[in-house]
């Protein structure tokens, strides 16, 4: 029998001066009009996709169930189990208070950033699905309404010959012509054959020229049929990133993503402000507090929060609001199943500065099978008008693709 993480002893959680439960705050659970609903349980199931996705379900005494998803990673199901008692008996409609309640209760266990925030985000997404179903409105309506009926999707592309410029160009053309995407992304942190030391973050000139050859081949092949971004996965030194970004100024680069490690904002700012190549960052910082300096110091041209990682749907909207103060567009990083992908699309519909949402699973032929509805069509996500997120899990597909050893959560 495994550990029951909901029963772990944590003095910080058991006594906090900023206790935000309904009981402590004096918030009534009774709302009227069919809104008298209480949370009874939270369960998770992990899917063995191209990432180990954690699906989250919140159950209520009314029988209504909300489904969400946390960013992938070890420890998320245990943390969600740990937090379940903090929400049992609460009315799920108080999404913002309940999210902040979890942040406060888990402050001693790392709710400033990292996997604890990710676990909270998965619950928060499920709360939006649940609240939408209770109120009979789509999730975007809970965020203030929509700016657009559909959200653009950019396809994260790969090839077995990822270091071959012609192979990348061939794949780019295939994705545009056969799959219908007009926005793409390729990796640039690929072996060039010119490396001398993979640890020092330094790019030699032949390495820069190799990366430029990939950018040239892809952008020239697709021309104006698609926008193309390139990802560096926080690999290079500040000086190397500057030289690479300057070298790429000659090409039509949609953006250069994460050229330097995320910890040092000063270096990030210098790289961004030292080039006309658009620089995108954001997936490796948490909550609006983590994104603040990037925006206030104008250290990014495009912000890229990962919604089920940074804190959830409302937190991403708050980041977008902050970005809008600096006229910065939002391109949401996303490596999720159809559940969080659709949740990101709802956020993208509700914010004015949405640029695109990532799709990272085009090589996984069963990705779309996890839900009953079509999600991506011709490179766009049409925002559903059904209550909540508007997607319904195919439980047979979920069970088929579960992580070995995990248990399937209860039916809705």
């Amino acid at each position: 029998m495994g550990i029951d993480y909901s029963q772990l002893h944590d003095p910080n959680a058991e006594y906090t001066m900023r206790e935000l439960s309904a009981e402590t705050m004096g918030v009534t659970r009774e709302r009227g009009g069919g809104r008298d609903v209480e949370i009874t349980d939270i369960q998770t199931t992990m899917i063995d996709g191209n990432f180990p996705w954690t699906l989250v379900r919140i159950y209520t005494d009314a029988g209504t169930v909300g489904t969400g998803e946390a960013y992938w990673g070890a420890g998320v199901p245990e943390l969600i189990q740990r937090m379940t008692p903090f929400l049992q008996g609460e009315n799920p409609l108080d999404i913002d208070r309940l999210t902040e309640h979890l942040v406060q209760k888990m402050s001693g266990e790392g709710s400033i950033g990292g996997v604890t925030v990710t676990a909270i985000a998965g619950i928060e997404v499920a709360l939006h699905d649940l609240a939408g179903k209770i109120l009979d409105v789509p999730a975007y309506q809970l965020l203030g309404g929509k700016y657009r009926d559909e959200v653009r999707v950019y396809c994260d592309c790969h090839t077995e010959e990822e270091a071959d410029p012609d192979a990348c160009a061939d794949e780019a053309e295939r994705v545009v012509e056969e799959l219908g995407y007009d926005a793409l992304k390729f990796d640039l942190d690929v072996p060039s054959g010119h490396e001398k030391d993979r640890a020092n973050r330094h790019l030699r000139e032949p390495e820069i020229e190799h990366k430029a050859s990939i950018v040239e081949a892809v952008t020239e092949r697709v021309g104006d049929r698609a926008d193309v971004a390139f990802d560096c996965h926080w690999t290079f030194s500040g000086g190397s990133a500057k030289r690479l970004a300057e070298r790429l100024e000659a090409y039509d680069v949609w953006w250069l993503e994460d050229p330097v490690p995320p910890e040092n904002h000063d270096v990030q700012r210098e790289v961004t402000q030292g080039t006309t190549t658009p620089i995108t960052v954001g997936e490796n910082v948490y909550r609006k507090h983590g994104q603040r300096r990037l925006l206030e110091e104008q250290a990014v041209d495009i912000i890229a929060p990962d919604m089920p990682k940074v804190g959830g749907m409302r937190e991403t909207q708050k980041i977008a609001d902050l970005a809008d103060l600096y006229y910065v567009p939002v391109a949401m990083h996303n490596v999720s199943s159809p559940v969080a992908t659709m949740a990101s699309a709802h956020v993208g519909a509700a914010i004015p500065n949405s640029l695109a949402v990532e799709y990272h699973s085009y090589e996984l032929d069963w990705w779309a099978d996890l839900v009953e509805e079509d999600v991506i069509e011709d490179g766009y996500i049409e925002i559903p008008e059904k209550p909540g997120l508007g997607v319904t899990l195919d439980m047979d597909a979920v069970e088929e693709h579960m992580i070995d050893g995990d248990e399937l959560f209860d039916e809705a």
Side-chain angles (χ1 to χ4, degrees), residues 51-67:
F51 295 86
W53 303 311
T54 298
L55 302 182
V56 184
R57 274 212 158 149
I58 300 179
Y59 300 83
T60 68
D61 62 348
T64 310
V65 173
T67 302

Side-chain angles (χ1 to χ4, degrees), residues 275-412:
T275 181
T276 60
T277 299
I279 303 296
T280 300
V281 181
E283 70 178 270
N284 284 314
V285 288
Y286 294 84
R287 306 184 70 212
K288 58 184 180 292
H289 306 284
Q291 313 277 349
R292 179 181 61 84
R293 282 189 64 194
L294 289 171
L295 294 162
E296 288 182 348
E297 298 178 13
Q298 299 180 57
V300 292
D301 296 302
I302 300 167
I303 198 77
D306 191 299
M307 185 278 299
K309 180 178 184 180
V310 303
M313 297 173 68
R314 288 179 58 80
E315 192 72 15
T316 302
Q317 184 181 41
K318 292 172 185 178
I319 292 166
D321 288 342
L322 180 59
D324 202 39
L325 295 178
Y326 297 89
Y327 316 123
V328 171
V330 179
M332 277 176 269
H333 183 266
N334 174 62
V335 294
S336 303
S337 85
V339 175
T341 299
M342 183 60 83
S344 292
H346 276 276
V347 177
I351 61 176
N353 46 345
S354 174
L355 190 62
V357 173
E358 184 176 10
Y359 173 49
H360 204 291
S361 303
Y362 79 114
E363 298 166 298
L364 197 66
D365 59 7
W366 53 263
W367 183 87
D369 297 341
L370 290 174
V371 296
E372 296 177 3
E373 298 81 4
D374 293 329
V375 176
I376 303 173
E377 293 189 58
D378 298 324
Y380 285 78
I381 298 174
E382 184 177 350
I383 308 304
E385 287 299 317
K386 296 199 301 184
L389 298 181
V391 290
T392 308
L393 286 179
D394 184 316
M395 295 297 283
D396 291 334
V398 170
E399 186 171 18
E400 179 183 354
H401 298 290
M402 279 193 312
I403 294 283
D404 287 345
D406 202 2
E407 296 182 2
L408 185 65
F409 44 40
D410 294 340
E411 290 268 9

Side-chain angles (χ1 to χ4, degrees), residues 20-23 25-39 61 87 89-98 127 131 134-135 142:
L20 300 179
S21 67
E23 181 179 6
M25 296 294 293
V27 177
T28 178
R29 298 176 178 85
E30 289 72 35
R31 309 298 168 91
R35 295 178 294 127
D36 299 339
V37 180
E38 292 187 9
I39 295 172
D61 62 348
L87 294 189
E90 291 277 358
N91 190 308
L93 297 177
D94 296 336
I95 299 174
D96 204 64
R97 177 179 62 81
L98 295 181
L127 285 171
I134 293 170
L135 299 175
L142 302 172

Side-chain angles (χ1 to χ4, degrees), residues 85-310:
F86 304 148
L87 294 189
Q88 287 173 320
E90 291 277 358
N91 190 308
L93 297 177
D94 296 336
I95 299 174
D96 204 64
R97 177 179 62 81
L98 295 181
T99 303
E100 188 64 17
H101 178 48
L102 294 179
V103 170
Q104 294 300 316
K105 296 293 273 187
M106 298 296 288
S107 60
E109 298 179 56
S111 58
I112 292 175
V115 69
T116 305
V117 173
T118 294
I120 293 171
I123 293 173
E124 195 261 13
V125 173
L127 285 171
H128 276 87
D129 187 47
L130 178 54
K133 291 174 179 176
I134 293 170
L135 299 175
D136 197 29
V137 296
Y140 73 78
Q141 201 70 62
L142 302 172
L143 301 174
K146 62 181 176 180
Y147 282 85
R148 52 193 65 84
D149 289 330
E150 58 182 13
V151 172
R152 193 182 188 191
V153 175
Y154 74 89
C155 185
D156 193 297
C157 302
H158 299 274
T159 172
E160 291 182 1
E161 301 173 271
E162 60 183 356
D164 183 345
D166 289 333
C168 291
D170 289 344
E171 181 64 358
E173 187 166 43
R174 186 187 76 84
V175 172
V176 171
E177 291 297 321
E178 297 181 15
L179 304 184
Y181 290 91
D182 64 1
L184 317 174
K185 186 169 77 176
F186 283 84
D187 292 343
L188 280 189
D189 57 323
V190 295
S192 67
H194 301 290
E195 293 83 7
K196 296 296 184 181
D197 188 328
R198 295 294 295 274
N200 61 25
R201 302 189 185 280
H202 178 70
L203 283 173
R204 302 173 61 240
E205 194 60 29
E207 295 176 79
I208 289 179
E209 286 305 312
H210 171 258
K211 298 180 190 314
S213 69
I214 294 175
V215 173
E216 180 179 25
V218 172
T219 55
E220 290 189 358
R221 181 73 68 84
V222 301
D224 61 4
R225 292 177 294 168
D227 293 313
V228 189
F230 297 89
D231 198 344
C232 300
H233 292 109
W234 51 95
T235 301
F236 308 126
S237 68
S240 292
K242 289 179 185 177
R243 288 162 50 228
L244 174 62
E246 182 179 8
R247 178 67 178 83
L248 300 184
E249 289 176 355
Y251 306 110
D252 185 15
V253 174
W254 199 17
W255 70 70
L256 186 67
E257 185 170 328
D258 287 320
V260 296
E263 297 91 347
N264 192 320
H265 286 258
D266 295 329
V267 175
Q268 177 64 58
R269 182 184 63 246
E270 291 174 7
V271 171
T272 299
Q273 295 181 358
T275 181
T276 60
T277 299
I279 303 296
T280 300
V281 181
E283 70 178 270
N284 284 314
V285 288
Y286 294 84
R287 306 184 70 212
K288 58 184 180 292
H289 306 284
Q291 313 277 349
R292 179 181 61 84
R293 282 189 64 194
L294 289 171
L295 294 162
E296 288 182 348
E297 298 178 13
Q298 299 180 57
V300 292
D301 296 302
I302 300 167
I303 198 77
D306 191 299
M307 185 278 299
K309 180 178 184 180
V310 303

